[in-house]
Amino acid sequence: MSSTSRARLHPAALTALIVGGVVILGALGFLAWLLTSTQSTPNQQATQKLVQWQEIFEKYRSAHGTLPDMPAGGYCLGTGFPLGSGGTANCRDYAAATYYTEEAGAPLREALASVGELPQGVSAAVRGTVGPYALYDDAGVRLLTAEDGACETPAVEVWNDGGGLFICQILLTR
């Protein structure tokens, strides 16, 4: 006579195995999500901020038929820039002699705010340069920012210092 005997797990042990398996699968799924999710870099964030400013400039152009009228020169886009030369909040080369003051950009920000909410925050500083800022000149309005390494599309490189600082631009023609 042969008898087959099966070992049975206690119901509590079976429950513990199932819960443990679910926890392990959840942890693996979370790890896979972390590894595959796109983390935005400071360069991507800086370019995204330029795109947001481009959109508000274009919204102004759509409402008024032209870009905001400002004298030739540089203007900080946004607020919250670091204190630099002159003891003022500055963009561009904020601690050097070639800075633009946040205060000087107030009329431009006021004009743009008439058509919508302005983008918030400033970009990460790169080697003493911070953006975003606008440069009004004969070519149009240059929306500029500093990036650490190659510029992110749709911004294009207009200058680099050979040491990692890249000035990236979106050009708005008049």
Side-chain angles (χ1 to χ4, degrees):
M1 177 171 192
S2 76
S3 87
T4 40
S5 123
R6 286 170 122 182
R8 291 186 175 248
L9 290 176
H10 188 277
L14 186 58
T15 302
L17 282 173
I18 291 171
V19 169
V22 168
V23 168
I24 289 171
L25 286 175
L28 289 174
F30 180 71
L31 181 61
W33 175 78
L34 280 178
L35 294 174
T36 59
S37 68
T38 56
Q39 302 290 326
S40 82
T41 66
N43 283 358
Q44 290 168 332
Q45 292 169 3
T47 296
Q48 183 56 37
K49 199 160 294 302
L50 282 185
V51 169
Q52 291 168 354
W53 282 101
Q54 176 188 20
E55 289 168 354
I56 198 78
F57 270 89
E58 292 300 346
K59 191 172 183 181
Y60 185 95
R61 184 194 320 248
S62 178
H64 299 282
T66 185
L67 295 172
D69 188 31
M70 297 293 291
Y75 303 94
C76 298
L77 296 175
T79 58
F81 289 96
L83 292 180
S85 296
T88 56
N90 303 329
C91 61
R92 192 178 176 206
D93 303 323
Y94 62 92
T98 53
Y99 63 90
Y100 304 138
T101 66
E102 184 177 298
E103 183 181 328
L108 177 58
R109 291 190 306 274
E110 184 178 315
L112 292 169
S114 71
V115 296
E117 188 174 332
L118 300 181
Q120 299 298 307
V122 300
S123 303
V126 179
R127 298 173 55 90
T129 302
V130 66
Y133 55 96
L135 180 62
Y136 273 70
D137 62 19
D138 292 339
V141 179
R142 301 171 186 272
L143 306 180
L144 301 153
T145 197
E147 294 189 16
D148 187 5
C151 298
E152 295 283 334
T153 305
V156 296
E157 177 187 338
V158 292
W159 182 85
N160 77 71
D161 71 352
L165 168 63
F166 285 68
I167 302 301
C168 305
Q169 148 184 297
I170 294 176
L171 176 63
L172 304 175
T173 56
R174 293 188 207 203

